[in-house]
Amino acid sequence: MKFSIIVPAFNEEGSIEDLARRCAALDPAALAVESIEVIVVDDGSTDATAKKARAVDGVSVISHPGNRGYGAAIKTGFEHSHGDLLGFLDGDGTCDPAFFQTLLHELQERSLDCALGSRMHPGSKMPALRFLGNRFFRGLVSALGGEGVSDVASGMRVLRRDSLERFYPLPDGLHFTPAMSVRAILDPQITIGEIEMPYEERVGKSKLSVVGDGLRFLRVILETALTYRPLRMLGFTAGLFALFAAALLGLELGGPAAPLQFYIERNFIADWMVFRLMLVAVLLASSVFLITLGLVAQSLVGLINRESEAIPDEPGLRTAILDRLPLWGGLSIFAALLINKRPLVSYWQTGEIPGEFWVFPVVGGLFAIVGIELLAFWVVNQIAAQLRERERYRGRFADSAIKRNPTL
């Protein structure tokens, strides 16, 4: 097997020459590969980075005409590499190329798709603020349903070329590595592992913006998780909305009394409740919308990834819930009509709706909106089910055609 090492570099003249020499000096036999190629991708540097990298024998240099981003540089290296195994490390001198031997052994020994070096250990020289940030991101990924690695933003890792397709799409910026890690952790068809690695202080000034890039890391983690765990994320938000609605009903929150307690004690709905009850209606309708959207979206994950294993969280129960959406939607619309019976009859008989009936349209409107939402999502789910069945049978026919004609 051939091993390709990609080194993304942007204004790293202080470290790139020594790092490239150490990469080129690696012994293929020690790494258990047939040969090694080293590719430095100069990402539009304005200093002598490209010149110093070209001075190293056995190193190929590809230059971007302008700065396109850390992730873009790695992807350019992937596109121009020839190895069956791919590795990359930061060009700032923080990572030791000799550690590729340990990573490659971990990759092969455990039959992983990706192995990375973790900086999250006591001997690491990572700045304290970035260390805490990585701890936060690790906790977030775990909460979203993925246990895998402690250092989601590690800049040194190896992977198999034939697994690369499953990691894409990946962003061009510094959030390239968190996106790769989260996708690997949440995708059941990708196996990822890590091992502690030595990590030194960087040479030169860091390009990482703690706030700006931290927000990008957060965004890409949430966006990627949303494509694999939409039910968990949307369900959590729906739960928050429902809890807030319950609080508005059950707590005083600045009013003379809790609305629910006031109604139970006096069997009367006062005017001061109107805006609060409208907000409760909006929150409850939104909660039902989000949880139903999460259910349908989770069922689409398997279709997008083309395997049922990509759908966790008890697919039988979820299917049963989705199949009953028309029933619940119809009952909700019927409840809306039933609730509004008195004001509708009054309007039919007198052409007016008495003021004391103002709460009925609010509550009835909530049930009507919920009913329409449930029916609409049932339609979307039916379309998804048809597409899923078509894909399943298409795969069967393709397999049978190959058996009949092995030359296909």
Side-chain angles (χ1 to χ4, degrees):
M1 284 189 174
K2 187 171 186 176
F3 179 45
S4 298
I5 300 175
I6 316 300
V7 185
F10 174 60
N11 290 343
E12 300 289 3
E13 62 179 3
S15 59
I16 194 63
E17 186 173 358
D18 176 66
L19 182 65
R21 288 189 190 281
R22 287 192 286 156
C23 288
L26 292 174
D27 180 12
L31 272 62
V33 295
E34 296 173 3
S35 60
I36 298 173
E37 70 170 344
V38 181
I39 302 174
V40 173
V41 182
D42 167 37
D43 190 29
S45 297
T46 56
D47 62 5
T49 295
K51 180 181 178 181
K52 291 193 173 185
R54 289 191 177 97
V56 181
D57 292 336
V59 174
S60 301
V61 179
I62 302 170
S63 292
H64 288 167
N67 181 248
R68 291 170 51 190
Y70 171 79
I74 295 175
K75 288 189 284 187
T76 294
F78 287 163
E79 292 167 5
H80 289 81
S81 64
H82 303 88
D84 306 291
L85 300 172
L86 306 171
F88 63 86
L89 77 167
D90 295 340
D92 56 11
T94 54
C95 304
D96 182 4
F99 193 71
F100 276 127
Q101 179 178 351
T102 304
L103 287 178
L104 285 170
H105 180 267
E106 185 81 358
L107 187 85
Q108 301 284 38
E109 185 72 16
R110 296 175 54 191
S111 298
L112 301 173
D113 293 305
C114 178
L116 60 85
S118 172
R119 304 163 295 173
M120 307 298 289
H121 56 86
S124 173
K125 295 184 180 179
M126 179 189 294
L129 189 58
R130 288 166 63 181
F131 189 90
L132 291 174
N134 275 276
R135 286 288 189 193
F136 167 76
F137 293 133
R138 176 192 181 182
L140 177 61
V141 173
S142 297
L144 292 171
E147 292 289 346
V149 298
S150 63
D151 189 357
V152 297
S154 170
M156 185 175 187
R157 56 188 76 192
V158 295
L159 59 152
R160 302 178 189 273
R161 181 178 291 278
D162 56 13
S163 301
L164 191 58
E165 181 182 351
R166 292 209 58 88
F167 287 97
Y168 278 64
L170 291 167
D172 289 343
L174 284 169
H175 47 311
F176 174 91
T177 47
M180 173 179 278
S181 297
V182 176
R183 194 173 295 277
I185 292 168
L186 297 181
D187 190 325
Q189 288 200 341
I190 300 176
T191 54
I192 186 171
E194 68 177 345
I195 189 168
E196 292 182 358
M197 72 171 182
Y199 187 77
E200 301 296 328
E201 294 182 8
R202 67 162 287 123
V203 177
K205 185 179 179 180
S206 174
K207 284 84 176 176
L208 180 72
S209 167
V210 174
V211 176
D213 288 307
L215 290 174
R216 293 185 188 93
F217 287 8
L218 178 61
R219 187 192 71 192
V220 77
I221 288 172
L222 294 177
E223 287 178 350
T224 306
L226 191 60
T227 63
Y228 286 95
R229 301 287 191 273
L231 178 56
R232 184 161 301 195
M233 292 188 66
L234 295 174
F236 176 76
T237 307
L240 289 180
F241 282 8
L243 286 174
F244 189 27
L248 289 173
L249 286 175
L251 300 176
E252 292 184 13
L253 297 176
L260 187 59
Q261 179 184 0
F262 186 92
Y263 178 77
I264 292 174
E265 292 176 350
R266 309 186 188 188
N267 195 28
F268 173 69
I269 295 177
D271 289 344
W272 60 268
M273 300 181 189
V274 57
F275 294 113
R276 191 181 298 191
L277 290 179
M278 286 181 178
L279 180 55
V280 167
V282 170
L283 288 170
L284 291 177
S286 299
S287 180
V288 173
F289 174 83
L290 289 173
I291 192 66
T292 313
L293 176 62
L295 286 165
V296 175
Q298 192 68 57
S299 72
L300 291 171
V301 169
L303 179 61
I304 295 171
N305 291 286
R306 298 191 178 188
E307 75 277 338
S308 60
E309 291 81 2
I311 312 177
D313 305 328
E314 305 177 27
L317 175 61
R318 186 168 53 254
T319 301
I321 294 173
L322 291 171
D323 287 345
R324 288 173 173 78
L325 290 183
L327 172 63
W328 294 336
L331 289 175
S332 188
I333 292 175
F334 177 76
L337 294 173
L338 193 63
I339 290 169
N340 281 285
K341 177 183 176 182
R342 291 174 65 188
L344 288 174
V345 169
S346 175
Y347 184 78
W348 177 262
Q349 294 175 344
T350 66
E352 296 180 356
I353 298 179
E356 64 267 22
F357 289 159
W358 66 265
V359 73
F360 293 97
V362 174
V363 179
L366 167 63
F367 279 92
I369 292 171
V370 167
I372 293 170
E373 288 174 356
L374 295 176
L375 292 175
F377 278 120
W378 176 76
V379 172
V380 175
N381 185 62
Q382 289 300 105
I383 295 172
Q386 292 295 320
L387 292 174
R388 195 159 45 245
E389 283 296 299
R390 180 183 297 179
E391 191 68 25
R392 184 161 63 92
Y393 281 102
R394 181 181 296 169
R396 288 183 181 179
F397 293 143
D399 291 341
S400 62
I402 292 174
K403 289 179 182 177
R404 291 195 306 272
N405 187 359
T407 61
L408 289 176

